[in-house]
Amino acid sequence: MGDVDSFHNKAREKCEFLMREKQAINVVLRRQTEVENHKYKAQLHVSIIVVRLLLKIGLPFGGHDESVNSENRGLYIEVLKAIRETSEYIFNNTLESAPKNNQLISPKIQKEHVQFFAQEVLLSTREDIGQDVFALLVDESSDVSKKEQMAIVLGYVDSLGFVKEIFIGLVHVKDTSSLTLKNAINEVLTSNKLSFSKIRGQGYDGASNMRGECNGLKVLILQENDTTCYVHCFAHQLQLVVVAVAKKHGKRKGAKRLV
């Protein structure tokens, strides 16, 4: 076999190392991957808990200053910091203890988590409605950036007989014409496997593009399904009453200020 440093002995030693299964490259990489997967799952589990809590209470995620040196980095990160104090394993695998490119705290990641929850809520709503009928509630207005946004809500009666109103989407529309709104509503309903044929009620405000007798959204949907009953939105009626009362009974001259 030759000396210890002979080519034969060196080849035999390398062959023995290769035959040791626990030291094989693929085994070592697989073991390392499993460890990283466990760490990531623990990190993801805590993030989901934080997102679910903030969504349930309806609180904002971000903060004004989310830098490491900030005293208040926003509710998402601050709640995450509080939870990680309860477990050494979680503490060692979240925030600054995790890789800088895998901390799950960026605004993009937070929005993705929210979208996943939204998809689950929509799926639950679709299953709750099933093949039953529902009512359509729609309103549109411009946001601070002057973009037109349309909110869509579905009203239905669940299997237990309770009336529910579920917000299913906020859609950006290029204009507020009745045809544009109808097409946007159709896209939302189609994406949620719903159709105009199941609509039995419509609720909008009194704007001409919504309840107009000629080309309003109400008429366009009635052309698709003539069983959809239109009801002027009660919230909008109340708003009109409050505005009218406020204008009628304005501040009178000589009236004393109530403290």
Side-chain angles (χ1 to χ4, degrees):
M1 297 178 62
D3 298 332
V4 177
D5 294 333
S6 66
F7 288 108
H8 181 81
N9 271 328
K10 289 183 178 180
R12 179 184 57 80
E13 183 179 14
K14 292 180 180 179
C15 180
E16 290 178 354
F17 287 153
L18 185 61
M19 296 299 291
R20 294 176 184 174
E21 183 179 355
K22 293 183 179 180
Q23 294 182 356
I25 294 176
N26 62 331
V27 175
V28 174
L29 289 176
R30 184 170 62 251
R31 187 184 304 116
Q32 183 179 359
T33 302
E34 290 176 353
V35 172
E36 294 299 325
N37 284 339
H38 283 299
K39 291 181 179 180
Y40 179 77
K41 287 181 179 179
Q43 192 178 4
L44 182 61
H45 179 68
V46 178
S47 297
I48 291 175
I49 291 176
V50 176
V51 173
R52 183 170 56 188
L53 173 64
L54 296 180
L55 287 176
K56 182 178 181 180
I57 304 177
L59 295 175
F61 283 49
H64 178 69
D65 181 9
E66 297 186 5
S67 61
V68 178
N69 297 325
S70 174
E71 295 183 357
N72 184 359
R73 301 176 65 186
L75 286 177
Y76 179 84
I77 297 179
E78 293 299 331
V79 174
L80 182 59
K81 287 167 61 178
I83 294 177
R84 72 194 294 257
E85 296 292 339
T86 63
S87 170
E88 182 179 357
Y89 182 75
I90 296 177
F91 186 90
N92 294 330
N93 292 288
T94 54
L95 294 179
E96 64 273 3
S97 300
K100 290 185 177 180
N101 63 343
N102 190 29
Q103 295 186 2
L104 300 181
I105 60 175
S106 70
K108 181 179 179 181
I109 295 296
Q110 295 178 33
K111 291 180 180 178
E112 287 182 354
H113 287 169
V114 173
Q115 290 175 355
F116 295 149
F117 274 93
Q119 292 173 3
E120 289 298 321
V121 172
L122 290 176
L123 177 60
S124 176
T125 300
R126 291 200 302 267
E127 294 176 349
D128 206 10
I129 295 176
Q131 299 299 318
D132 207 346
V133 296
F134 58 89
L136 181 67
L137 306 175
V138 177
D139 194 13
E140 45 79 22
S141 64
S142 59
D143 58 18
V144 293
S145 62
K146 305 302 180 181
K147 291 182 178 180
E148 295 292 340
Q149 306 283 354
M150 179 176 64
I152 304 175
V153 176
L154 297 184
Y156 64 96
V157 179
D158 65 9
S159 57
L160 299 178
F162 293 101
V163 178
K164 291 185 176 180
E165 291 185 356
I166 304 297
F167 171 77
I168 65 167
L170 185 67
V171 184
H172 168 61
V173 290
K174 60 181 181 180
D175 58 65
T176 58
S177 66
S178 56
L179 184 59
T180 300
L181 298 180
K182 176 181 176 292
N183 292 334
I185 293 171
N186 187 37
E187 290 181 3
V188 173
L189 293 180
T190 303
S191 64
N192 287 283
K193 299 180 180 179
L194 300 170
S195 68
F196 283 118
S197 63
K198 296 295 182 180
I199 299 177
R200 292 297 181 270
Q202 306 181 63
Y204 319 126
D205 58 26
S208 60
N209 64 327
M210 305 299 287
R211 62 168 297 179
E213 296 297 333
C214 295
N215 295 313
L217 178 62
K218 175 191 72 172
V219 175
L220 295 180
I221 294 182
L222 280 171
Q223 292 173 355
E224 295 267 349
N225 181 2
D226 58 5
T227 61
T228 57
C229 176
Y230 170 76
V231 177
H232 191 164
C233 175
F234 285 102
H236 184 250
Q237 291 186 44
L238 176 61
Q239 178 190 10
L240 295 177
V241 171
V242 172
V243 171
V245 171
K247 290 181 178 180
K248 186 69 174 180
H249 299 278
K251 186 177 180 181
R252 298 178 180 177
K253 294 182 179 181
K256 294 184 178 179
R257 182 178 180 182
L258 299 177
V259 179

